[in-house]
Amino acid sequence: MRMATKPGQSNGYDVAENGLRYLIVRPEKGGLGDLFRYAVTGNVVSGLTFLESSDDGVLDEEAPDYRWVIIVSIIVRKIIAVIGKPMEWVGYLVDFVLNLLSLNGNLVGLLYKILHGKVVLPRRGTETFISTIGQLDGRIDLYKGESLARDIGGSVFAEGAGVEVEMEMGNRALMDLCIMASKLAYENAKVVNNIVVHHWKMHFVNFYDCWNDFQKESSTQVFILCDKPKDANLILISFRGTEPFDADDWSTDFDYSWYEIPKLGKVHMGFLEALGLGNRTDTVTFQNKLLGSHGESNSDDAIRSPSKGTKPLSRHTDSDMGQGGWDQPSTSEGEHQPAMVEMTAYYAVRSKLKSLLKEHKNAKFVVTGHSLGGALAILFPTMLVLHEERELMQKLLGVYTFGQPRIGNKQLGKIMEAQLNSPIPRYFRVVYCNDLVPRLPYDDKTFLYHHFGVCLYYDSFYVEQKVKEEPNKNFFGLRNALAMHVNAVWELVRSFIMGYVYGPEYEEGWFNILARLIGLALPGISAHCPTDYVNSVRLGRERSLQMSSF
């Protein structure tokens, strides 16, 4: 029998018999010979060495029909596994060098300070240590400046202000806050607190660094802010996205593994693990956390640390920032136990959100994120729907994602569109030009993953169109290769003239230009940078002409 043995079965729990279905792609399980036979000859037996599933039916369906997308997933993730450590080392070096230069007045200033023995060394985790993403795009101020809260409050929250019209159009001030918060999520807690409080004049609530079962470390980062400390109108939740030199983040984006939630649909397994909603090494945990009492199991397995109690699974900076300790939610009304709240991003954020909405009676909340953070941003309300959190969903103002990968199948999309786009659209998926990540995982008329919701697509002239799907939706292929590389040349040229055309705040520095040079070879990677998403929101203009990917 080809069905993989599941840890849950050893405890007398038969996953397949209980109707739970999943597929896990494990690149480490097979060799290059197996991959060659599966790719070239279509040998299904060789392909099965890489696959683990709930039942033979899944294997018989997936292995032949989805062969090429599985092969791509395996090859890319094998490459990422090989270069993972070098990527990490390069990332540390790049972070150090960029911060060393910025703290010492760039190259000339650094040379001067070396000669005078006054070099300032960067210290990771401090208020002055900026991420690679932050170095690519140094803008920190909101486009509307200190009037943002008034702009949002006046157009979205005030009585009789035409909320339906504003949300349908996509509130620009709110979109700008969301992309800037998505970019800010890449920073450490002290940087986030400083910018939110001193530059945005808003109220910093929490920063969480939670356990990710896919990456086996506390790597799911998310922060929460309010537009003001009392009687807030807006609560914003921002998830951190794919870090440029984090191999595990990229491996998550290229993972094809899925878990099927009854009556909801198939969901990307890596994203579920990033929210702390299951563990592929013991697939029964998905059942416990997703479907038990609205996902709130009191079993020992649910509240025990994945690392068997050897280290804390999440931390935040409440004590550092003068915000008090963790929320200790009441166990009445089925509220989840504190141990689970500390363990996972989903439960930590949901618990804090409930307490904030009780404190701020008129507030609504927005969820946002870039890249992987965008996937988690839309998955968060998806789980609220699954757990029948109707009161929370009524308070959801919108979800704005930027460069977000696909999270599930068509069934999931149809259900969530009914929840988020009726009576008015509340989910906006922003895609810039040739960005690779929104084209992942692969999708066509036979494959599994599909986008849903309103897509705001911006070409390389920052012209916006509302579409169902971005052009060249799967990225790979020779037909669009030439156009993408020509477009990358234009983006490089554009980087030299942005400051002259649009003003000093759009001027691109040497590090950004270097990223554009890399884009000549890998246009889909350079197009993923938040810089173009900030520009799209601030410079974007609509048109009704035929769309192109250029």
Side-chain angles (χ1 to χ4, degrees), residues 20-26 48 50-55 58-63 66 69-70 255-260 266-270 280 283 448-449:
L20 305 180
R21 304 183 80 225
Y22 64 85
L23 178 78
I24 303 174
V25 181
R26 296 191 181 276
L48 293 177
F50 297 100
L51 305 179
E52 175 186 330
S53 75
S54 54
D55 58 81
V58 171
L59 292 176
D60 291 337
E61 174 186 328
E62 300 277 340
Y66 301 89
V69 69
I70 291 172
D255 188 15
Y256 180 75
S257 307
W258 52 261
Y259 183 89
E260 185 169 13
K266 295 177 180 178
V267 184
H268 190 289
M269 186 175 285
R280 71 182 65 195
T283 52
L448 170 68
Y449 289 94

Side-chain angles (χ1 to χ4, degrees), residues 46-190:
S46 296
L48 293 177
T49 61
F50 297 100
L51 305 179
E52 175 186 330
S53 75
S54 54
D55 58 81
D56 279 347
V58 171
L59 292 176
D60 291 337
E61 174 186 328
E62 300 277 340
D65 294 346
Y66 301 89
R67 180 162 60 104
W68 286 109
V69 69
I70 291 172
I71 289 168
V72 170
S73 176
I74 292 169
I75 291 174
V76 173
R77 289 174 63 198
K78 275 185 173 291
I79 292 172
I80 289 173
V82 171
I83 65 174
K85 272 298 177 185
M87 280 179 65
E88 182 181 345
W89 297 332
V90 169
Y92 275 110
L93 179 62
V94 170
D95 279 347
F96 179 82
V97 170
L98 291 176
N99 279 277
L100 182 67
L101 291 171
S102 63
L103 288 173
N104 292 278
N106 291 320
L107 185 59
V108 175
L110 177 61
L111 293 175
Y112 176 85
K113 289 189 176 182
I114 289 175
L115 293 174
H116 290 80
K118 296 181 179 180
V119 176
V120 180
L121 294 177
R123 292 173 53 217
R124 191 174 294 273
T126 63
E127 206 172 277
T128 57
F129 193 95
I130 306 301
S131 70
T132 300
I133 295 295
Q135 298 285 356
L136 271 172
D137 188 328
R139 290 172 288 190
I140 58 175
D141 291 322
L142 299 173
Y143 187 59
K144 297 294 184 180
E146 295 183 16
S147 66
L148 176 74
R150 184 177 68 250
D151 292 336
I152 294 176
S155 61
V156 176
F157 298 100
E159 292 185 16
V163 175
E164 293 188 9
V165 174
E166 288 293 340
M167 285 307 296
E168 194 170 299
M169 295 295 290
N171 183 281
R172 286 290 167 177
L174 186 56
M175 283 182 68
D176 189 74
L177 172 62
C178 285
I179 180 55
M180 294 302 286
S182 297
K183 187 165 75 78
L184 185 59
Y186 288 93
E187 307 301 336
N188 68 64
K190 291 184 177 179

